[in-house]
Amino acid sequence: MSRLALVLLAVCGLDELASGVPFVGAPGIKSEFGLSYLASAGGLLVTIQLFSMVIEPPLFMLADRYPRKWFVCGGLLVLAGVCVLASLAPVYWMLLVAVALYGPASGMGVSLAQATLVDLYPEQRERMLTRWTLLGALGDLATPALFALLSWVALGWRAAFAVCGLGALSLAIGLLRHPFPGQQPDADEAREPGLYEALRTAFGNRALLLWLLAAWLCSLLDEIVVAFGALYLREQFGADAVARSLVLMSLMAGALLGLVLLDRGLSRYRPMVLLRLCSTGAGIAYLAWLFAPTLVASGVCFFMTGVFAAPLYPLAKAQAYRALPGQSGMVNAVGAAFIPLDLLAPLLLGLV
């Protein structure tokens, strides 16, 4: 694996670390600014998602037509500035501005880093996305670890933002030193369709839409199932906070194992075979978790759910990239259309 690929993978880990800061740090933000729970957590989430939905698609499409390095490095530099702004925010509205800018900066720097990674290894998309997802999972785990370390030296969410800003700056500088893969240098720009026409054509690609929908559905067995799972464990078994945490951690442990196994399995089996296997296994394991008779059995079933569910995203997203070869930026532009579902899904599932 090239050094460029390693730095691109590190971008994913940093993004997951940084994106978790406003949520893990929500109690401190709530206390410092005197906010309600809705404003301190829900407001931050909605701000990130809505602003990203408007700004990101044009940037993704332009990244297919101009040097990708400008967008990835520029996005990381903006991300570094946004994190510094958040760490210094004297009032809550300034923090909201920083968080709102974080969304498109992350999209430009991080989503396009993923697109660059699959362009760098077009015959190994599944493997690269598996490693991308694995680094993201490790970044998720690093966020509470970072807060624990900072609290040990009497620091909080502001210092966490500053650390992430320094990390984004370091990665941007590192990427500037590496050449990016070429992007159809012989294309005739005069004959290229306009952005609107290109987007309309992409939305007419049924395979692309189905695979992006499949990739989005994977989130239902990720953060959303964790949120509802915590409530379910309390209602079903009367589990206290420690017991609930152990069961929910088993999902993450299973996910890490599943991604490691997928990385090895891709050298022996075709991606579609693994996708069918993992889809079936995830469904069975999840149903077994719902009907588990004891808390221990629940933890075992949740672990197996993680093993089978974690590989679904990299396998499905790789097929989305294959459905529109040579236009990895456009794939992410179309994928931004599913952002409203991220906001609506918890509400709809809550009603159900």
Side-chain angles (χ1 to χ4, degrees), residues 63-283:
D64 279 342
R65 302 184 178 216
Y66 298 97
R68 182 70 58 80
K69 181 184 284 190
W70 297 354
F71 293 86
V72 177
C73 294
L76 289 174
L77 289 173
V78 174
L79 195 62
V82 163
C83 288
V84 172
L85 176 62
S87 70
L88 300 174
V91 291
Y92 183 62
W93 69 263
M94 188 175 292
L95 178 62
L96 272 183
V97 169
V99 170
L101 293 173
Y102 181 92
S106 173
M108 189 166 65
V110 181
S111 296
L112 290 176
Q114 182 193 91
T116 303
L117 184 65
V118 297
D119 288 344
L120 196 61
Y121 295 93
E123 301 304 319
Q124 300 183 56
R125 290 185 176 97
E126 288 83 4
R127 172 160 283 147
M128 291 301 108
L129 287 175
T130 297
R131 295 174 181 179
W132 176 275
T133 308
L134 179 59
L135 263 292
L138 294 175
D140 280 332
L141 292 175
T143 307
L146 174 62
F147 271 86
L149 178 62
L150 291 174
S151 65
W152 186 61
V153 292
L155 296 174
W157 62 272
R158 292 184 182 275
F161 270 120
V163 169
C164 293
L166 181 60
L169 178 61
S170 301
L171 290 175
I173 294 173
L175 287 173
L176 285 171
R177 301 170 56 188
H178 297 285
F180 275 46
Q183 294 174 254
Q184 301 174 336
D186 58 343
D188 185 357
E189 292 187 5
R191 296 183 179 181
E192 283 188 352
L195 293 181
Y196 174 76
E197 182 181 348
L199 186 62
R200 186 177 63 178
T201 301
F203 269 101
N205 188 324
R206 183 176 298 179
L208 173 63
L209 293 177
L210 288 175
W211 283 117
L212 285 174
L213 176 62
W216 174 80
L217 286 172
C218 297
S219 66
L220 298 181
L221 285 175
D222 193 1
E223 290 94 344
I224 292 179
V225 78
V226 168
F228 284 102
L231 298 173
Y232 174 77
L233 291 170
R234 186 182 66 182
E235 297 292 332
Q236 183 73 9
F237 300 108
D240 59 19
V242 174
R244 293 197 303 270
S245 297
L246 290 174
V247 173
L248 296 176
M249 285 171 59
S250 70
L251 180 72
M252 179 59 72
L256 293 174
L257 176 61
L259 291 168
V260 172
L261 293 176
L262 176 62
D263 187 68
R264 296 189 176 186
L266 284 168
S267 61
R268 301 181 58 185
Y269 304 100
R270 289 179 299 171
M272 292 305 296
V273 172
L274 294 171
L275 181 59
R276 294 188 186 98
L277 172 65
C278 291
S279 299
T280 304

